[in-house]
Amino acid sequence: MAQHCPKLPEPRKASPMASHNQKQATHRQIAVVLEELAEEVEALGAALCMDMEIAMKHMDKLQAIDLIAQKQRSLGRLLEADSPAEEVERIAIDVLRDRMRLSG
């Protein structure tokens, strides 16, 4: 004779407010990590700039490193913004600002 397992209760769904708060907390944590990465990338660029030979030979790559940090910071601020559309318009990097406009 087959035994039946007791029926487990259905998992409770998070309330819309709880889900929204969790999403905000996640966005804040992502923003924190993006800021940390920006600091690390800038420190790497600064360390490489200490060697003038490297700095002169690879200036374009060092500028790209700086741009990466700027993009990370812009995206972090966007994640935390109360008004993302307004924050998009504050992005100083044209290419990134245009990409974020297209995503909306």
Side-chain angles (χ1 to χ4, degrees), residues 11-41:
R12 291 186 349 184
K13 291 186 179 181
S15 71
M17 186 58 145
S19 179
H20 176 73
N21 289 342
Q22 184 177 14
K23 187 175 182 179
Q24 282 184 317
T26 299
H27 285 183
R28 274 192 301 275
Q29 287 305 107
I30 293 169
V32 167
V33 170
L34 284 169
E35 177 61 32
E36 290 169 355
L37 289 170
E39 290 173 9
E40 291 172 16
V41 166

Side-chain angles (χ1 to χ4, degrees), residues 31-91:
V32 167
V33 170
L34 284 169
E35 177 61 32
E36 290 169 355
L37 289 170
E39 290 173 9
E40 291 172 16
V41 166
E42 284 180 336
L44 173 63
L48 292 171
C49 283
M50 298 299 283
D51 183 324
M52 288 308 291
E53 186 177 331
I54 290 174
M56 297 302 290
K57 188 174 180 180
H58 300 286
M59 185 55 65
D60 57 332
K61 291 166 187 74
L62 293 168
Q63 289 173 338
I65 288 173
D66 182 61
L67 185 60
I68 290 167
Q70 290 179 48
K71 286 179 180 181
Q72 288 170 315
R73 286 197 169 98
S74 293
L75 292 172
R77 286 190 298 270
L78 185 57
L79 281 170
E80 291 187 298
D82 291 329
S83 176
E86 288 179 21
E87 190 60 40
V88 163
E89 297 309 315
R90 291 187 190 101
I91 295 173

